[in-house]
Amino acid sequence: MDSEHESEDEFNNNDDARSDDNSERGDADDDATAATPAPAAPPDDSTIAVETAGTSTGGTEPATRTPLVLHPNILDCKTFDIMPCVLAVHPCNIYCMAATQCMRWVFTGSEDGYIRKYDFFSSMNGKTMLTQGQRHGQVDSVTKAGILISYWENEEQPNKQSPAATLSTTPAPGEDGFSTTAPGTSSSSSFNPANSNDMDIDGTLTHVKKEENLGDQILAPVASSSQARTTSPFEESKMSAVYSLDCHSEAVFALSGLESGSVNLWTPRHEEGTCHHVFRQHTGPVSAIKLTPDQQGFISGSWDHSVLQWDLNNGSIVRSYTGHGSQISSLSFQPTDMPPANIDMSSPTANCSNDAVLLSTSVDGMICLWDRRDPTSLPRKFSLPDKIPPWCLSACWSADGKRIYCGRRNGTVDEWDFAEGRFIQTIKMPGDSGPVSFVKMMPNNKHLI
């Protein structure tokens, strides 16, 4: 197999997923496979056909998929030994991170407007070492450098449809000023993801521009000036800082928030950095994005105090969650229960989240719980304890979903009982630790990061 096409099949942990020329990248993949039992993704249809044909003619047997399971003692361990060993150097602040379910790839969003894709297994087991200058100021265990696979710009996509053209029955002009609909055909602007490569959605499902080969169809020019674009097709795109980021469990697609309030949908695995859809509704920077447990939609929170639920199948807004008075800081779904020790974490169906209960927090310290089964229900709010500053940048659930932890500005973490809505205690950090900007529960349900 050519090493240029190796990245698409790195999920298959067999000898066929290596380059024939025994290059350095192939050696790194060998070390990563030997040191960490990386899971193999289900092969695509073409791979299945080849393996079946080979088996019927006496060829090689199909490669078996090794499941990625949790350590048997991870749910009842008493201590953790956390030791950093890899440094992924960024030139600026990192605002958000996302990863595939099997931790094959890790994505970061930074202030400079770039989304970076790292190979986690090759970074942890690779041979790329840091320079002496990069190791300066780090602990002695940090010796390896993160393997950067690719990166792309988080660009503000121009809105290609004006309000006048949205209300018009005549289709919007294409790149050359001509209509993309042949005479006599329907000019309906209904959304069909299978037939569109570029779209803009403003919450009311505006016109979708279709980039397809029309063959010998006659293109009729559009004479009305009211259908002209609000932005020039040659206008340079503006890069936006990446304040929020989330990705599919197998990196089929990824979502990133922009300063303008839009959400871009990317393909990070194939045709990396290609923006396919733009969701437009927020009026402020999108500060939080969370995919629903079934990965058929996502929740977005913005500086405009709004929380929206989107349907990825048709691009429409399913529900609007109103109740916050400040910018949204975090979104999370309630875990159903402690994960079983034998669960295959590489499987997209290995989901331990309850999509019925949504937790959202805002910078003013408000904690809201939403019942997504009832679209008319009001949020259940947790009031601030006495003498607690009104600030929350992060909140999380316990591993069993029975408690909620909220990080505060004064270096404390509040613990709440979910069922009773009762404040339990305040966990104090050291006096010189500063504000708590992120909080997360370990799988054993006993340790908090």
Side-chain angles (χ1 to χ4, degrees), residues 152-406:
W152 58 89
E153 299 86 356
N154 189 37
E155 293 183 341
E156 298 274 3
Q157 306 296 327
N159 193 349
K160 302 177 181 179
Q161 183 65 32
S162 63
T166 302
L167 300 177
S168 175
T169 58
T170 308
E175 296 288 350
D176 53 358
F178 291 91
S179 169
T180 58
T181 304
T185 60
S186 174
S187 60
S188 174
S189 60
S190 59
F191 172 66
N192 188 354
N195 297 331
S196 62
N197 295 325
D198 181 50
M199 76 172 184
D200 295 306
I201 298 179
D202 60 358
T204 58
L205 224 57
T206 59
H207 174 75
V208 179
K209 191 194 112 187
K210 299 170 61 176
E211 295 181 356
E212 57 184 359
N213 185 10
L214 299 179
D216 298 330
Q217 295 179 355
I218 302 175
L219 302 180
V222 178
S224 175
S225 61
S226 63
Q227 298 170 0
R229 292 184 179 181
T230 57
T231 57
S232 171
F234 304 101
E235 181 180 351
E236 183 178 358
S237 299
K238 173 186 175 183
M239 292 182 60
S240 170
V242 189
Y243 292 118
S244 55
L245 183 67
D246 202 2
C247 71
H248 184 263
S249 61
E250 295 183 353
V252 177
F253 61 86
L255 297 162
S256 64
L258 295 93
E259 295 178 353
S260 64
S262 302
V263 177
N264 288 345
L265 188 145
W266 310 89
T267 48
R269 186 171 180 178
H270 305 286
E271 299 181 358
E272 298 173 337
T274 302
C275 181
H276 293 272
H277 306 295
V278 181
F279 304 89
R280 306 182 192 271
Q281 181 66 23
H282 292 291
T283 58
V286 180
S287 53
I289 292 179
K290 185 65 177 179
L291 278 170
T292 55
D294 59 2
Q295 302 188 96
Q296 299 297 314
F298 70 95
I299 312 291
S300 61
S302 172
W303 289 14
D304 60 6
H305 314 167
S306 65
V307 178
L308 301 177
Q309 178 181 344
W310 301 82
D311 189 344
L312 286 171
N313 294 311
N314 54 26
S316 61
I317 295 178
V318 178
R319 180 178 176 181
S320 177
Y321 302 86
T322 58
H324 286 284
S326 181
Q327 72 181 59
I328 309 302
S329 56
S330 67
L331 299 168
S332 59
F333 291 95
Q334 180 190 21
T336 54
D337 201 352
M338 299 286 291
N342 58 351
I343 186 174
D344 185 4
M345 299 303 296
S346 62
S347 174
T349 59
N351 198 337
C352 300
S353 298
N354 179 17
D355 60 352
V357 180
L358 173 67
L359 169 66
S360 62
T361 61
S362 53
V363 174
D364 59 0
M366 183 178 297
I367 302 176
C368 292
L369 294 169
W370 309 85
D371 187 353
R372 299 177 62 239
R373 295 167 296 184
D374 186 2
T376 61
S377 64
L378 296 176
R380 177 185 172 190
K381 299 181 180 179
F382 289 169
S383 59
L384 289 172
D386 296 336
K387 300 180 181 180
I388 297 296
W391 191 28
C392 173
L393 282 183
S394 178
C396 74
W397 297 85
S398 60
D400 57 3
K402 297 180 180 179
R403 297 186 304 276
I404 296 174
Y405 297 91
C406 178

Side-chain angles (χ1 to χ4, degrees), residues 382-442:
F382 289 169
S383 59
L384 289 172
D386 296 336
K387 300 180 181 180
I388 297 296
W391 191 28
C392 173
L393 282 183
S394 178
C396 74
W397 297 85
S398 60
D400 57 3
K402 297 180 180 179
R403 297 186 304 276
I404 296 174
Y405 297 91
C406 178
R408 300 293 186 184
R409 178 177 60 184
N410 59 347
T412 62
V413 178
D414 295 338
E415 183 179 5
W416 297 81
D417 185 271
F418 165 70
E420 301 178 3
R422 174 177 52 89
F423 174 75
I424 300 177
Q425 63 175 337
T426 297
I427 305 173
K428 294 184 178 180
M429 302 287 290
D432 57 347
S433 63
V436 179
S437 58
F438 189 81
V439 60
K440 190 68 175 178
M441 174 63 70
M442 296 296 287

